[in-house]
Amino acid sequence: MTEEMVRADNVHKSFGSLEVLKGIDLVVRSGEVCCVLGPSGSGKSTFLRCVNHLEKINAGKIFVDGDLIGYHERGGKLHEMKDSDVAKQRRAIGMVFQRFNLFPHMTTLQNVMEAPCRVKRENKSEVRDRAAALLERVGLGSKIDAYPGMLSGGEQQRVAIARALAMRPKLMLFDEPTSALDPELVGEVLDVMKDLARDGMTMLVVTHEIGFAREVGDNVVFMDGGVVVEQGAPAEIIGNPKHERTKAFLSKVL
């Protein structure tokens, strides 16, 4: 494991004529929790999707644990990786989305077991034990036989976190994991994420939960208009922002 888990160098991303990322430079160190704040449309979620090559970048480079993501570099030029090679890279990167995307016809245990068994071809009984332990860890040990439709939104999101952890990722990406939840269910998901942070999981979190960023974040990044406006320790960025755009944003959400 390298000291830098994520490194983005001058990352650009456009959708047609719309330039969404305009040169993102960002480093997340191993074991660090990096929280990305910013208004809707600032490019936060797009950047997160670029980290595991769900979106292809137009310029720049992204590295995860020292490996260039999505491309081979030969003779100073980047060449697109085969889908199978990209899929191998993604195995080490867990991702939790706004929507839970659980398989409705599978129990919680089956949802958590699916990827290690199908993608990694791991031993089924070992995966079952690990999946049960992960569901216990996220507070759902009693719900292993429940189907997603029987769970609250907060419970479904905790299953989604357990599912991502089942692949034993070295990096976890969270794309506004609480934004689709009723307010009273947000805390139970954030508690699981805090527990992961205490265990040293490297996390890149796009969030509107300023309190979580202040309490758990090692590094806070404020994005707007496809650029990183400022970044630093939570006390600096949330407590004493220097840029007028950051001050204006925080004045509306704090």
Side-chain angles (χ1 to χ4, degrees), residues 227-240:
V227 299
V228 172
V229 176
E230 59 180 312
Q231 59 183 305
E236 290 172 34
I237 304 303
I238 298 171
N240 188 28

Side-chain angles (χ1 to χ4, degrees), residues 2 29 73 174 180 245:
T2 60
R29 302 190 184 285
E73 191 166 11
F174 291 88
R245 184 66 191 90

